Every structure is written in structure tokens, then in C-alpha cells.
Amino acid sequence: MLGTRTENVAFRRGKRQGLMMSVTERYLRQDIPCAHKSCQLCPQNSDLARRGLPQLSDGMILIPDVSVVSRYIELLEHSHALTNLVFCQSVVDALDRRNRTRTIRNVRGIAADPRRTSMVFANEVFDQTHVDTMLPARDNRAVMRVAAWYKAHLDLVAGQKVVLLTLKASKSVRYLVSHH
């Protein structure tokens, strides 16, 4: 189901052609599930289980930001005790802009492992978690919005805790408190 359409316009200075305008168009969806196996609010979760795609299990949900993923990918990858990791699409895109293809491959490997019950969440095209700015701190704000959405969404499922893994704790705590 397609929702609203957003447009980002950016101007870049090229060496040969002078000033160039770049327009990025996105259609925001409203039907992206949280992928938690106990959630009854998202009807698409049953489709994930039927197709054999990973679902988040009961317990703590961990959402790492860009700095944690880029700095501690080996720990995230080799510690099989860390389950229920939700990697945001904005984190993967930020790693791509930094030419961290090996790290992206490791993130996708963690998400594909059924024992890890982890996933890549499409926050860039989800209506409730999309961030519509081009600020330098946009990636961190997008991850914080996903954490706030998961916390609000899974408060209805008893016993679910959402933890934002970040190296910038004070700003994140202020954001999560003010947006809940």
C-alpha cells in the first residue's frame, strides 16, 4: 500500500557542468510490519513466518546506530548471544556512503541468519519512521525515530524492551523522552 510521496531536492556543484539539481522521490508505505512474532497489530507478520523470513523473538530488541555498527561489527557478528538486532536501512545507506561494503555484507549476513532473529528494517520508506531532512545528523535522528516507534509499538506487547545502541547517549535519551 502506497502512502504519501516525498521529494528531496539537493544542489551539487559539478566540475564540468556547474550547479546541478538532484531530485530524489520516495513513496512512503504504511504496511511495513514490525516483524515481531508476538505482535498482533501487524497482520503482515504472519506472512513473514509463512515465507520463512526471520522474525524478532521475545526479549530485548537492540537497534544499533551507524557508529556502533561501523566500530563494533565484529562483536555484533561473532557474538551469537546478541539476538533481535534491528538494523535500519538508513544505517546501511550511511555505511554505503562511507564505502563500507564489507560491513554491509556482514550486516546482511547477521540479518539472514535464522538463529539470530535479526532483520534490516526499511525505515526510509515507512511512513511512521521516515525522516525528511538532509541534516548532517539525519542518520542518527532516523535511528532514534525507529527506536521510539518500536518502543511505542511494542509497549502494547507485554515485556518487550527496546534498546538503542549508540555512542551518543545524552542526545538519544533526550530525543526518545521527548518523542514518546
Side-chain angles (χ1 to χ4, degrees), residues 22 64 75 131:
S22 170
L75 176 68
V131 176

Side-chain angles (χ1 to χ4, degrees), residues 75-179:
L75 176 68
L76 295 173
E77 185 180 23
H78 295 298
S79 178
H80 294 288
L82 291 175
T83 58
N84 286 345
L85 289 165
V86 175
F87 298 101
C88 300
Q89 183 63 44
S90 58
V91 170
V92 175
D93 292 345
L95 292 170
D96 189 34
R97 284 192 304 273
R98 296 177 185 178
N99 293 325
R100 304 289 302 262
T101 54
R102 183 178 152 267
T103 306
I104 295 170
R105 192 172 32 243
N106 294 348
V107 164
R108 297 213 184 269
I110 293 169
D113 188 356
R115 298 171 294 170
R116 300 293 296 273
T117 61
S118 299
M119 63 176 280
V120 176
F121 183 71
N123 66 310
E124 292 290 329
V125 294
F126 185 43
D127 193 32
Q128 298 178 20
T129 59
H130 175 71
V131 176
D132 197 28
T133 61
M134 297 296 287
L135 298 174
R138 179 194 181 286
D139 296 327
N140 291 331
R141 187 170 293 173
V143 173
M144 287 186 263
R145 181 168 291 177
V146 169
W149 178 80
Y150 261 102
K151 181 175 175 359
H153 185 74
L154 294 178
D155 268 350
L156 305 173
V157 180
Q160 296 304 308
K161 295 197 185 291
V162 177
V163 177
L164 175 64
L165 301 176
T166 183
L167 300 177
K168 302 168 185 167
S170 63
K171 289 181 182 178
S172 302
V173 169
R174 282 193 302 253
Y175 183 87
L176 290 175
V177 168
S178 68
H179 284 82

Side-chain angles (χ1 to χ4, degrees), residues 7-26:
E7 226 175 59
N8 284 338
V9 179
F11 293 96
R12 295 190 178 111
R13 185 172 303 278
K15 289 185 179 181
R16 293 183 184 175
Q17 298 158 341
L19 192 64
M20 299 182 317
M21 183 174 76
S22 170
V23 178
T24 305
E25 183 178 85
R26 279 204 173 114

Side-chain angles (χ1 to χ4, degrees), residues 55-67:
Q55 286 188 290
L56 302 173
S57 60
D58 291 332
M60 197 178 322
I61 294 175
L62 306 172
I63 304 175
D65 70 352
V66 179
S67 59

